[in-house]
């Protein structure tokens, strides 16, 4: 008859970066007391940074933007540019405000906007916001992004603000032949 005995390691909090955890699994203990032991280990990596935003359209400080523009941005959670580690952006903590009004609150579309939020391969999201009403001619549009990651010791991003300016005048003169 074969008996099995297993030891499990329960990790409550993530340890510091590159901490090595050895643990042992005991199995195939027979009636005579012969035990086969297999030793294993694993390491954990820490998420050190809050999410960051990039790839804005319209660009930061752009002018002459059409009044019917949409707003696009990418948000990611990486420990360093090109890094594979990060716990990911918490969609429930993702807010985007346009001129002080929520377009996205806790990852949920708000009245007056259509939004598309797609997961990207950088532990974050690509966000496109379509205002239902056009901006005004010459209007400065202020965008604020707030976010946090999913790490157990949450990293809250410093709110990121940027603006762009809509076209000031449109051509109201008919073409002359």
């Amino acid at each position: 008859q074969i008996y099995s005995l297993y030891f499990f390691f329960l990790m409550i909090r993530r340890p510091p970066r590159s901490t090595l955890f050895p643990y042992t699994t005991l199995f195939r203990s027979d009636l005579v007391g012969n035990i086969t032991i297999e030793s294993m280990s694993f390491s954990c990596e820490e998420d050190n940074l809050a999410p960051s935003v990039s790839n804005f359209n319209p660009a930061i400080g752009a002018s002459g933007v059409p009044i019917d523009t949409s707003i696009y941005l990418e948000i990611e959670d990486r420990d360093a540019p090109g890094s594979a580690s990060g716990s990911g952006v918490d969609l429930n903590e993702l807010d985007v405000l346009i001129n002080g009004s929520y377009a996205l609150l806790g990852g949920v579309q708000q009245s007056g906007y259509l939004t598309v939020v797609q997961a990207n391969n950088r532990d974050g999201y690509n966000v496109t916001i379509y205002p239902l009403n056009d901006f005004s001619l010459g209007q400065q549009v202020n965008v604020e992004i707030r976010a946090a990651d999913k790490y157990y010791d949450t990293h809250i991003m410093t709110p990121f603000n940027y603006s762009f300016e809509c076209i000031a005048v449109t051509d109201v003169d008919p073409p002359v032949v």
Side-chain angles (χ1 to χ4, degrees):
Q1 186 171 357
I2 298 177
Y3 296 91
S4 296
L5 177 63
Y6 295 95
F7 290 98
F8 295 94
F9 180 80
L10 175 62
M11 187 171 55
I12 304 298
R13 292 187 60 144
R14 291 187 185 190
R17 178 178 294 278
S18 300
T19 300
L20 186 62
F21 285 93
Y23 66 93
T24 304
T25 302
L26 304 175
F27 60 98
R28 290 194 305 205
S29 174
D30 60 21
L31 291 175
V32 219
N34 297 321
I35 299 173
T36 305
I37 300 173
E38 181 180 340
S39 295
M40 300 176 183
S41 64
F42 65 94
S43 64
C44 296
E45 292 204 15
E46 188 173 0
D47 181 350
N48 292 311
L49 301 174
S52 61
V53 289
S54 62
N55 298 327
F56 305 96
N57 188 18
I60 296 171
S63 60
V65 175
I67 60 174
D68 63 348
T69 191
S70 61
I71 297 171
Y72 175 85
L73 61 97
E74 296 174 9
I75 185 159
E76 65 182 45
D77 183 39
R78 296 296 173 110
D79 268 359
S83 163
S85 63
S87 57
V89 174
D90 186 346
L91 185 58
N92 295 318
E93 297 293 330
L94 178 57
D95 302 335
V96 179
L97 292 88
I98 299 175
N99 291 328
S101 174
Y102 284 100
L104 198 63
L105 177 61
V108 177
Q109 169 182 295
Q110 299 299 295
S111 178
Y113 301 92
L114 294 176
T115 58
V116 177
V117 180
Q118 297 174 304
N120 62 33
N121 61 359
R122 293 171 312 283
D123 297 321
Y125 299 94
N126 300 336
V127 178
T128 307
I129 299 170
Y130 302 93
L132 296 180
N133 298 308
D134 291 348
F135 297 112
S136 301
L137 292 173
Q139 180 179 5
Q140 179 172 319
V141 179
N142 300 302
V143 180
E144 181 177 341
I145 302 106
R146 303 174 186 166
D149 64 16
K150 297 178 193 173
Y151 194 59
Y152 78 90
D153 188 17
T154 303
H155 300 107
I156 299 171
M157 180 179 95
T158 300
F160 186 88
N161 295 280
Y162 84 98
S163 63
F164 60 88
E165 188 175 313
C166 292
I167 192 166
V169 294
T170 58
D171 183 8
V172 292
D173 296 328
V176 178
V177 182

